[in-house]
Amino acid sequence: MKRKLLVALLSVAMLAGCAAVPTKGTIRYGDRQGSAPDLGGVGVEAKPPRPNVDEMAIVSGFLEAMSDSQAYDVARQYMTPEAAGNWKPESQTVVYDQRPESLTRKGDGIQLSARKIATIGERGEWIPAPEKARADFFFKLRKVDNQWRVDSPPPGAYLGSNQVDLKLAPRDLYFFNQSRELLVPDPVYLPQNLPSGQAATQLIQELLKGPTSRLGNGVVTIAPPGTEVQVSVPVDLGVATVALNDTAGSLRDQDRRLLAAQIVWTLNQLNLRAKITVGGAPLLPDEPDVLPFANFSQYDPQVPGGSVTRLYGLLRDRPHRIVGLDGSSDIAPQLLNAGPLAEYKAQSFAVNLTGDTGAIVTLDGDKLYYGPLEPTDKDAKATPIELDGETLPPSFDRQDNLWFLDQAESDKPRLRLRDHEGKLRPVQVDFNGDTPVALRMAPDGVRALLVMRQKGTNLNYVQTATVQTETGTKQLMLRQLRPLQLALSNITDAAWNKQGIIVIGAGTSGPQVWLVNTDGSSLQLLPGSTPDFTPDRVASNPNKDTLPVIQDDAGHIHWLSKDLLWVSMDADDNKSVIIPTYPG
């Protein structure tokens, strides 16, 4: 095997720019191609209405003023007293495709006609809108003291697409998975460009409210009910002082440490260190007053560790490890022939995150075998699990739970997990008649990523879901199935990545490699050089050092180097096809 650069080298300046800044434009509207139209987005400061202006100017000014969530009082000056009293902008924010022709005169008011891009809920959740959803609203006006004012309160606030990145920032609230071993990010959008103390206060207040509906009871918050910040979170010289009320004082030592991890990780997004007190005393009396972020690295949702970055794959139906991607040796597949899995031909292959155990679905699809990759016991056996019908490639989480879905083409696809103790557990799920095509579990074992085929249209789409439990029982359920509503066609695969989710799909041209936030916002081409192959599958995981690997439509693999260059591995002969996989 050998490697070659697939494209001409980009200039050093371009590479440096790509590493720091994604491809031009955040795609939230239009046909969402690699770069978005430049709408000249400039931050608009909320200003009160000018006297003696017409209806169009009032509605335009009202929309501009409400784009600033810190200035809703200014926006209310554009409304009649009755409408201002009934308006509840905090309830939701409607993100719409803002264009010059969006506002038109109609009867006794102004009509907003625009495509809805997303709704941002009261907690800041980005909820993508279906393709044909509308954000239309009729602004009725009447005169107050001889000045035109809006007399119909809209359902929440409206935010034009060219203002999103200027007004809102994507943040994560951090909670624990059920085993309390890993933090799980809960993405929200919060106001941009706030003073550091105000931003820290808002983040911690949202954290203490608990998880959003996206994660629900799939995660755990360590803060006892009623835990609050005393007044605010002041920031001085990069240190945020989080003074909690006495409610958190009842926590045991271990739980105090976990709560500290939630707070430290949440504040780290603002480049702030944390000093945490409860009732005036340190939350962790045996730790430094200012808690080092490194002290909580073991809860990293990206799962650090060298074993996570090792590439594996199926070659000629047998499991291999692909070595040399790091430049330490020649790039080559090495047959994993020491373990019991080598006895079987496979159609798919998964490796756990510590790299010592694997699982295969046999070539005939009848069984799933679970066993060590390189056992120390020569008599080690693989454990068989009976399958039925079409089976998706299995997936491991950090707790060594193995997730697998069979009967995929039936009316009722069956999702199960083999837990770390070897017990099989069913997971209730209803796909509403759609067909699962790919399943990828996040290392936390809470978040699921699925490629689905829509009933009736046979078009593929991407959605996320959350593993939750039925209230009062231990029954696992896959809930909160949320389509990302990506404006892509011919979607063939998707995988978790350190920056969100990598998706293989087509915009207006052929299949390309895309990157999108886990909530479906900010679709863009994967930063880096342009590939000269047609992507078909992707192998990736959330580890920061994992290099995304693409299998093309001819079965050959390519990976994105740290220099943002596509590198390929040529097979010894043109009949060799490698199906790549990373641990997870």
Side-chain angles (χ1 to χ4, degrees), residues 142-337:
R142 69 178 174 88
K143 284 191 173 183
V144 176
D145 296 331
N146 208 34
Q147 302 293 320
W148 286 111
R149 292 294 182 262
V150 175
D151 195 34
S152 51
Y158 276 62
L159 183 63
S161 52
N162 68 335
Q163 292 291 311
V164 173
D165 291 336
L166 298 164
K167 297 297 184 179
L168 298 173
R171 305 294 186 198
D172 287 319
L173 310 175
Y174 285 95
F175 304 96
F176 275 97
N177 61 358
Q178 292 295 331
S179 66
R180 303 189 178 194
E181 295 178 7
L182 284 182
L183 288 165
V184 184
D186 194 356
V188 294
Y189 271 81
L190 296 176
Q192 180 82 279
N193 299 324
L194 296 178
S196 57
Q198 192 173 348
T201 300
Q202 188 173 45
L203 258 182
I204 298 304
Q205 286 176 340
E206 288 299 323
L207 176 70
L208 295 178
K209 291 177 183 177
T212 68
S213 60
R214 182 189 307 277
L215 297 182
N217 69 8
V219 294
V220 175
T221 182
I222 308 302
T227 302
E228 296 178 345
V229 173
Q230 294 182 348
V231 185
S232 66
V233 179
V235 174
D236 183 36
L237 299 177
V239 176
T241 300
V242 181
L244 302 175
N245 60 12
D246 293 338
T247 304
S250 61
L251 292 175
R252 299 173 299 173
D253 289 348
Q254 178 57 27
D255 285 343
R256 284 176 172 240
R257 180 169 182 78
L258 297 179
L259 177 57
Q262 285 185 249
I263 294 172
V264 167
W265 269 83
T266 299
L267 288 175
N268 186 62
Q269 301 167 92
L270 302 177
N271 294 317
L272 295 176
R273 294 174 294 157
K275 177 181 179 181
I276 310 173
T277 63
V278 177
L283 176 67
L284 300 178
D286 296 330
E287 299 269 356
D289 281 351
V290 179
L291 298 172
F293 178 75
N295 287 11
F296 304 93
S297 60
Q298 68 266 41
Y299 307 116
D300 189 345
Q302 292 188 345
V303 191
S307 61
V308 184
T309 65
R310 297 172 184 165
L311 181 64
Y312 298 82
L314 284 180
L315 175 61
R316 300 183 183 93
D317 308 324
R318 302 288 186 179
H320 287 68
R321 181 182 168 196
I322 315 300
V323 299
L325 268 67
D326 58 0
S328 62
S329 63
D330 291 339
I331 301 171
Q334 293 181 347
L335 180 64
L336 297 172
N337 58 3

